[in-house]
Amino acid sequence: MRKIIVRTTKRKEMVDITGEVQRVLKGLSLENGICILFVPHTTCGITINENADISVREDITTFFSRMVPENGNYRHSEGNSDAHIQSTLSAHSITLIVENKKIQLGTWQGIFLCEFDGPRTREIWLTFLSTNSEINKL
Amino acid sequence: MRKIIVRTTKRKEMVDITGEVQRVLKGLSLENGICILFVPHTTCGITINENADISVREDITTFFSRMVPENGNYRHSEGNSDAHIQSTLSAHSITLIVENKKIQLGTWQGIFLCEFDGPRTREIWLTFLSTNSEINKL
Amino acid sequence: MRKIIVRTTKRKEMVDITGEVQRVLKGLSLENGICILFVPHTTCGITINENADISVREDITTFFSRMVPENGNYRHSEGNSDAHIQSTLSAHSITLIVENKKIQLGTWQGIFLCEFDGPRTREIWLTFLSTNSEINKL
């Protein structure tokens, strides 16, 4: 597998990793297929959302913090249960379509690592499969 | 890739696309494998839920609207931050299993486009990979 | 496809199925590739989270019950709309990376079936694809 390393700087933030994902793909020989993104952590997640107006990700982060408060009468002694819950409410794996050697995304879409218990050094794991082109062409 | 086009009619609604997905698959030569569904938008999503009693999707839509209110002291100036948040709370990619030329779903399951900021014209992108049958047969 | 059968014992609980998934993979000849997990139900889900301290999954289950109350002025007559909503808030499919004949997970990660309307007998469907190794090695 390939790995993207992300150093987060706040307890809660969304970090745009779209460029990194495209860069990893560029180093491979894959024309058409899929790209699997996997988060090997339990207090962060991954999502796709708007990468044009930065206030969108601030609204998402703020909402997640309000919906799942840091101090919420939890049992887990490490004090980061909010982050574990937010991690399950976002995603741990996303599958992207690759065409003509590029990750295919909608006009306004970016790929974000969602940090819920930073700052920390995080990894995103990636693997790629090529499509059996005859199947999708028929 | 293949595309399904959906015209939504309300600001919030869940549209059953199960038949459309099966129809796309029918036009291909794929016997066994996987089907990737990807949503190229940032204010809608995709989910799997009950397609028998229509009130289930009404309950889900109503709950999402109550949990993430339209007016919620957001920063994003377009006034649809609720839809961006709901988009992250649902899913942007789902992977389905194909067997004997059919998408395999549970008895009560349907595939739904979740519109959070309609009415709009939406797309679902699809790609298919065939399973290396010898792996799953051992 | 392969199936894992899980008998849940409570209305809401998270059941660790990591060992079961690794066991299914062990019976196959797959060295490197991906493992698709799919939940064929509409009132349970799947997630990845911490499997070290059991209080983490209790905090997640408790939070989900508080966020989506069992009695919430729903329309669906079967009385389990909370479970349908929680099902959409967790995930129905997760894709894992397989390397050297093992599911690759982070240090603290386990794979969990999320029961939201038990006790019931549940299934997780699995399928596997091998990576075109030359793509990921370049």
Side-chain angles (χ1 to χ4, degrees):
Chain A
M1 70 175 78
R2 300 294 177 124
K3 292 183 183 179
I4 291 173
I5 310 293
V6 181
R7 274 174 204 282
T8 61
T9 58
K10 300 178 189 166
R11 177 140 203 269
K12 311 271 184 201
E13 70 174 316
M14 286 169 67
V15 182
D16 190 342
I17 59 166
T18 317
E20 286 296 305
V21 175
Q22 298 280 21
R23 216 163 298 141
V24 172
L25 175 59
K26 229 172 198 168
L28 308 177
S29 64
L30 180 62
E31 287 262 359
N32 299 298
I34 58 172
C35 166
I36 314 291
L37 303 178
F38 182 80
V39 178
H41 307 286
T42 60
T43 55
C44 77
I46 194 168
T47 194
I48 288 176
N49 220 296
E50 180 176 326
N51 68 354
D53 178 2
I54 200 171
S55 68
V56 169
R57 71 195 82 159
E58 291 172 5
D59 283 341
I60 296 170
T61 305
T62 302
F63 184 85
F64 266 69
S65 299
R66 213 163 49 203
M67 178 172 59
V68 191
E70 189 175 346
N71 302 302
N73 204 19
Y74 305 117
R75 299 191 51 183
H76 183 45
S77 59
E78 286 177 20
N80 61 354
S81 283
D82 61 327
H84 286 289
I85 294 164
Q86 289 159 348
S87 170
T88 276
L89 287 169
S90 63
H92 280 89
S93 77
I94 287 186
T95 303
L96 304 164
I97 298 175
V98 175
E99 241 178 43
N100 302 320
K101 288 173 157 287
K102 286 194 73 174
I103 302 285
Q104 299 300 308
L105 290 171
T107 314
W108 307 106
Q109 285 187 324
I111 309 161
F112 296 92
L113 174 101
C114 305
E115 175 60 86
F116 297 124
D117 192 34
R120 298 201 198 201
T121 300
R122 301 296 199 172
E123 294 184 0
I124 303 283
W125 295 351
L126 301 88
T127 197
F128 298 86
L129 278 81
S130 77
T131 328
N132 327 71
S133 54
E134 71 283 358
I135 288 167
N136 287 276
K137 292 272 170 56
L138 266 189
Chain B
M1 70 175 78
R2 301 294 178 124
K3 292 183 183 179
I4 291 173
I5 310 293
V6 180
R7 273 174 204 282
T8 61
T9 59
K10 300 179 188 166
R11 177 139 204 270
K12 310 270 185 203
E13 68 175 318
M14 287 170 68
V15 182
D16 191 341
I17 58 166
T18 318
E20 287 297 305
V21 176
Q22 297 280 20
R23 216 164 297 140
V24 172
L25 174 60
K26 229 173 199 166
L28 308 176
S29 64
L30 181 61
E31 288 261 0
N32 299 298
I34 59 172
C35 165
I36 314 291
L37 303 178
F38 181 79
V39 178
H41 307 287
T42 60
T43 54
C44 77
I46 195 168
T47 195
I48 289 176
N49 220 295
E50 180 175 325
N51 70 354
D53 179 4
I54 200 171
S55 69
V56 169
R57 71 194 82 158
E58 291 172 6
D59 283 342
I60 296 170
T61 305
T62 302
F63 184 84
F64 266 69
S65 299
R66 214 163 46 203
M67 177 172 58
V68 192
E70 189 174 346
N71 303 302
N73 204 19
Y74 306 115
R75 300 192 50 182
H76 182 45
S77 60
E78 286 177 19
N80 60 354
S81 283
D82 61 326
H84 286 289
I85 295 163
Q86 288 158 349
S87 170
T88 276
L89 287 169
S90 62
H92 281 89
S93 77
I94 288 186
T95 302
L96 304 165
I97 298 175
V98 175
E99 241 179 43
N100 301 321
K101 289 171 156 287
K102 287 194 74 173
I103 302 285
Q104 300 299 309
L105 291 170
T107 315
W108 307 106
Q109 284 186 325
I111 309 160
F112 296 92
L113 174 101
C114 304
E115 176 61 85
F116 297 124
D117 193 33
R120 298 202 197 200
T121 300
R122 301 295 198 174
E123 294 183 0
I124 303 284
W125 295 351
L126 300 89
T127 197
F128 298 86
L129 277 82
S130 76
T131 328
N132 328 70
S133 53
E134 70 284 358
I135 288 167
N136 288 275
K137 290 275 171 53
L138 267 188
Chain C
M1 70 175 78
R2 300 295 176 123
K3 293 182 183 180
I4 290 174
I5 310 293
V6 181
R7 275 173 203 283
T8 59
T9 59
K10 299 179 189 166
R11 178 140 203 269
K12 311 271 184 203
E13 67 174 319
M14 286 170 68
V15 182
D16 190 342
I17 59 167
T18 317
E20 287 297 305
V21 175
Q22 297 280 21
R23 216 163 299 141
V24 172
L25 174 60
K26 229 172 200 169
L28 308 176
S29 63
L30 181 61
E31 287 262 0
N32 298 298
I34 59 172
C35 166
I36 315 291
L37 302 179
F38 181 80
V39 178
H41 306 286
T42 61
T43 53
C44 77
I46 194 168
T47 195
I48 289 176
N49 220 297
E50 179 175 328
N51 69 354
D53 178 3
I54 200 171
S55 69
V56 169
R57 71 195 82 158
E58 291 173 4
D59 283 341
I60 296 171
T61 305
T62 301
F63 184 84
F64 266 69
S65 300
R66 213 163 48 201
M67 176 172 61
V68 192
E70 189 175 345
N71 302 302
N73 203 19
Y74 305 116
R75 298 192 51 184
H76 182 45
S77 59
E78 285 177 21
N80 61 353
S81 283
D82 61 326
H84 287 288
I85 295 163
Q86 288 158 348
S87 170
T88 276
L89 287 169
S90 62
H92 280 90
S93 77
I94 288 185
T95 302
L96 304 165
I97 297 175
V98 174
E99 243 179 42
N100 301 322
K101 289 173 156 285
K102 286 194 74 174
I103 302 284
Q104 299 300 309
L105 291 170
T107 315
W108 307 106
Q109 286 187 323
I111 310 160
F112 295 92
L113 174 101
C114 304
E115 176 61 85
F116 296 124
D117 192 34
R120 297 201 199 201
T121 301
R122 301 294 199 174
E123 294 183 1
I124 303 283
W125 295 350
L126 301 90
T127 197
F128 298 85
L129 275 82
S130 77
T131 328
N132 327 72
S133 52
E134 70 283 0
I135 288 168
N136 287 277
K137 290 273 171 55
L138 267 189

